[in-house]
Amino acid sequence: MAEKRCRLMGFSLLLAIMLIAGLIFTGQGLALETLAQPDLNSSSAVQSISSQVYGAALNVDEIPAQADQNVDSQLYSTRPDQIILTWTADPQTTQTVSWRVYGVAGSKIQYLPQSGSTDDFSSAQEKDIAGSQLYGGFNHFVAELDNLQPGTTYVYRVGKDSGWSEPATFTTAAATNNFSFMFMGDVHSGYYDTSAGIWQQLLAQACSAYPDIKFALQAGDIVDNSEDTGDWSQLFTAAAGVFDHIPLMPAEGNHDSGDADLFNKYFALPQNGPVGYEGHNYSFDYGNAHFVVLDSSLMGCDGDAYQAGITWLENDLQQSNKKWKFVMFHVPAYTINIGDNDAAASDIIRQYWVPVLERNGVDMVFVGHQHMYMRTYPIYQGQVQDRPTGGITYLMGNAGNKFYINPKQHDYVAKVLSNVTCYTYIKIEGDVLTMITRDVDGNVLDEYKVDKGSSMDASVSVSGVKLLNSSYQEITSVPVQGAFRLQVHLNNNTGKQQTTVAVLQVRGSDGAAANCGGKPLGIASLKTDVPVVGVDIYADFNLSGLPAGKAYVDVYVFDESNVPIDIPYQKFSFDITS
């Protein structure tokens, strides 16, 4: 509450300065549209990644295209591999661990809180796990650890005395309204020799940029050929060191289905779906959010699976009282690709399933299948909405290097990119959702924000601030007598051009903190049109006698009538050096 009062006092003071004292001066520089994103066609190199952080680097040349089903047992160690975390129950008090071992019918898992761990696991709890046949002499093991403490990090290993895995950690969910997760589209491991390696590189980038990620969602087609065990081997080799630490919750795509049913053998998922289709459709809660995952192959055609699924979905969403609701499936309701062969399925999803999502307050839908990145404007009853909270935002991802081109033009498309390998980081902070999509090299491709707690329309929001010199080069500090330039990126969260007034304030001196305090060192006001793709604006400051120390930047956004349209952006600071 004190922070809110401090923010409101600072906001009122700024308005008084602007409207009464007349201290506003116009910042120099031009409002420039966001630059076109780089072409990632050439990003096919497989990067080596430290095994201490992300697991062994993938060498696709050493992985056979198809594992021999009749192998000599001497070729394989009894040491476990393909270790993956998922959830089958409450993320606060349980953790599900799966792994593979060759020629072993029984295995164990040992685990204990990290705070009391020992190198020999002498004080660990232990569970005996019976295996089930996977393929070609390999057995698969699934352990559900229960009665865990929320918000606690555990150390574990799997195997037996003849061969244990390296120790790894997982952290149970805390009782919190603030958390982050990652969304990815199609991986298609095995499509090219480099596909799994590109995914490994993408995972490394995500883990480096956002170490606070708690789990990952993946929208299907995680492998190219579900019957090809080599595709799965490449996938799990790329995932080593990531998804043995954070859970991976996938949807089943059309490339994941097959007679061997390896998708459902590999992934232990919640069994709370409709009778007969458990694991295909499921849901879980994390923090203040509810997540539903659907098998789109059961959504786009008539029959028992369709009826059971849509009835279960309605009941599941109605029973959730979580603030945020997310749904994920593979084939999109709102398509983007020319020559789409799934138009009939998409039409059925849009006609029959989307109304269920809309009347039950779903905020965002994650999809894949069309091998591009796409974000829609908020859509309700087939119409684009002006406010982010006015409808459902549909997000299409592509986490592999299988690309489609020539996207269709639709009025519901806010952002579309082809030839990109990307992931989306989503952070929930109570009433506020922020998302950032990055490519395999870490370049920001898209940003978006939804604020459920604000009465402001949030038609335009600030996503980032940079400190530049006069040559538009990014810098980290300014001398006490130096000039500097601030770059602010404005997002347009609607489907039409907006006009806004952005006010930039620099604060410093004693008592200055991120959200309030100190004294104004400079103020600039910029009126600009914000196209639907967003815009970068620039303000020049040439202030003498700046006090050495930390300076904080506040950005306020108003409409043309000087009415605030979003909460102040107060996430940037820089150093003033003597």
Side-chain angles (χ1 to χ4, degrees):
M1 184 63 72
E3 180 179 311
K4 289 184 177 179
R5 285 199 301 266
C6 184
R7 177 180 288 172
L8 289 172
M9 290 173 62
F11 186 63
S12 300
L13 177 60
L14 180 66
L15 286 175
I17 293 173
M18 289 171 55
L19 301 177
I20 299 175
L23 293 181
I24 299 174
F25 62 88
T26 302
Q28 299 174 2
L30 299 175
L32 303 176
E33 292 190 14
T34 303
L35 297 178
Q37 301 301 329
D39 183 358
L40 299 182
N41 266 329
S42 61
S43 290
S44 59
V46 179
Q47 293 186 350
S48 296
I49 303 168
S50 169
S51 61
Q52 294 181 350
V53 180
Y54 301 113
L58 177 64
N59 186 343
V60 295
D61 294 331
E62 295 178 0
I63 301 174
Q66 173 70 39
D68 190 344
Q69 301 283 331
N70 300 304
V71 294
D72 186 333
S73 62
Q74 293 182 351
L75 295 176
Y76 290 93
S77 166
T78 57
R79 186 169 179 154
D81 64 1
Q82 298 189 356
I83 303 168
I84 292 290
L85 301 183
T86 57
W87 288 304
T88 49
D90 185 357
Q92 289 194 57
T93 58
T94 71
Q95 181 63 70
T96 300
V97 187
S98 305
W99 66 97
R100 183 188 76 161
V101 186
Y102 184 83
V104 174
S107 191
K108 300 176 185 288
I109 184 168
Q110 296 178 333
Y111 62 100
L112 73 165
Q114 187 179 47
S115 58
S117 63
T118 56
D119 291 341
D120 61 0
F121 280 76
S122 57
S123 59
Q125 297 184 67
E126 183 175 283
K127 282 190 174 185
D128 292 310
I129 308 298
S132 58
Q133 184 177 1
L134 188 61
Y135 62 82
F138 286 101
N139 286 325
H140 195 246
F141 301 85
V142 178
E144 183 182 288
L145 310 180
D146 53 12
N147 296 315
L148 304 177
Q149 294 300 309
T152 303
T153 299
Y154 288 80
V155 180
Y156 74 98
R157 65 179 183 178
V158 298
K160 56 197 326 182
D161 289 342
S162 59
W164 289 100
S165 67
E166 291 296 323
T169 62
F170 64 81
T171 302
T172 53
T176 179
N177 293 331
N178 301 329
F179 67 95
S180 61
F181 63 96
M182 173 172 60
F183 162 67
M184 299 175 291
D186 302 39
V187 176
H188 274 276
S189 174
Y191 183 73
Y192 293 120
D193 288 343
T194 57
S195 294
I198 288 294
W199 187 52
Q200 184 185 50
Q201 185 180 345
L202 187 73
L203 294 177
Q205 205 292 317
C207 291
S208 175
Y210 302 109
D212 58 328
I213 290 172
K214 301 302 182 185
F215 61 94
L217 301 178
Q218 196 277 325
D221 281 6
I222 199 166
V223 294
D224 190 61
N225 180 359
S226 65
E227 302 290 320
D228 190 332
T229 56
D231 286 6
W232 289 101
S233 293
Q234 292 184 42
L235 178 87
F236 288 116
T237 300
V242 178
F243 295 120
D244 50 0
H245 291 273
I246 62 172
L248 172 62
M249 304 299 283
E252 189 169 353
N254 54 297
H255 281 259
D256 302 321
S257 304
D259 293 338
D261 202 23
L262 289 178
F263 178 91
N264 290 291
K265 289 181 178 179
Y266 269 123
F267 293 108
L269 300 169
Q271 299 296 294
N272 58 354
V275 175
Y277 305 99
E278 297 89 347
H280 294 272
N281 299 334
Y282 63 89
S283 66
F284 65 96
D285 292 336
Y286 195 104
N288 58 348
H290 184 64
F291 296 84
V292 180
V293 180
L294 303 172
D295 183 346
S296 62
S297 68
L298 307 178
M299 298 169 68
C301 56
D302 294 331
D304 293 341
Y306 164 86
Q307 190 58 53
I310 203 166
T311 300
W312 172 83
L313 174 64
E314 184 94 59
N315 292 334
D316 180 84
L317 290 172
Q318 286 180 353
Q319 291 171 11
S320 175
N321 61 359
K322 296 295 185 179
K323 179 175 289 291
W324 297 95
K325 293 182 180 180
F326 303 98
V327 175
M328 178 173 68
F329 46 85
H330 183 60
V331 175
Y334 289 90
T335 62
I336 192 64
N337 187 49
I338 289 177
D340 180 23
N341 294 321
D342 302 286
S346 294
D347 288 345
I348 291 174
I349 293 171
R350 194 167 56 254
Q351 183 175 356
Y352 295 105
W353 294 79
V354 166
V356 177
L357 308 181
E358 291 181 342
R359 64 176 170 259
N360 287 287
V362 170
D363 300 289
M364 189 170 285
V365 171
F366 304 108
V367 297
H369 190 58
Q370 297 195 320
H371 308 286
M372 300 184 195
Y373 175 79
M374 187 264 286
R375 173 175 57 84
T376 71
Y377 296 111
I379 302 173
Y380 181 72
Q381 295 184 349
Q383 301 297 314
V384 170
Q385 304 299 304
D386 286 339
R387 298 188 60 173
T389 55
I392 299 174
T393 300
Y394 296 82
L395 193 68
M396 179 186 294
N398 187 46
N401 59 350
K402 179 180 181 180
F403 305 126
Y404 291 166
I405 58 174
N406 299 324
K408 293 179 180 178
Q409 300 299 315
H410 294 286
D411 61 357
Y412 54 71
V413 175
K415 186 88 170 186
V416 60
L417 297 167
S418 55
N419 293 323
V420 293
T421 302
C422 60
Y423 68 92
T424 299
Y425 167 81
I426 297 175
K427 188 173 186 64
I428 303 292
E429 297 175 287
D431 292 332
V432 181
L433 175 154
T434 54
M435 56 150 275
I436 301 174
T437 298
R438 293 181 182 268
D439 67 15
V440 71
D441 297 317
N443 300 307
V444 174
L445 305 180
D446 192 20
E447 298 176 272
Y448 188 62
K449 174 183 171 182
V450 181
D451 187 348
K452 289 189 170 188
S454 175
S455 60
M456 305 176 190
D457 70 10
S459 56
V460 174
S461 60
V462 179
S463 63
V465 177
K466 292 182 179 180
L467 181 69
L468 309 176
N469 62 20
S470 59
S471 300
Y472 291 88
Q473 296 172 322
E474 189 169 5
I475 54 177
T476 59
S477 62
V478 175
V480 292
Q481 299 295 330
F484 59 94
R485 173 173 290 149
L486 291 176
Q487 173 187 302
V488 176
H489 185 77
L490 300 177
N491 283 337
N492 186 337
N493 299 319
T494 75
K496 57 187 178 182
Q497 180 171 291
Q498 302 290 318
T499 299
T500 189
V501 177
V503 178
L504 290 66
Q505 175 181 236
V506 180
R507 293 180 290 107
S509 298
D510 294 340
N515 294 323
C516 61
K519 65 180 183 180
L521 304 178
I523 300 174
S525 174
L526 293 169
K527 184 176 181 179
T528 184
D529 291 332
V530 184
V532 293
V533 295
V535 68
D536 287 327
I537 60 173
Y538 300 88
D540 287 340
F541 293 82
N542 191 357
L543 307 174
S544 60
L546 295 175
K550 185 71 72 175
Y552 298 90
V553 177
D554 309 322
V555 184
Y556 301 83
V557 183
F558 303 87
D559 64 16
E560 293 182 272
S561 300
N562 289 324
V563 175
I565 57 177
D566 198 11
I567 61 174
Y569 183 93
Q570 297 175 305
K571 299 181 180 180
F572 184 78
S573 63
F574 60 92
D575 293 323
I576 301 173
T577 58
S578 57

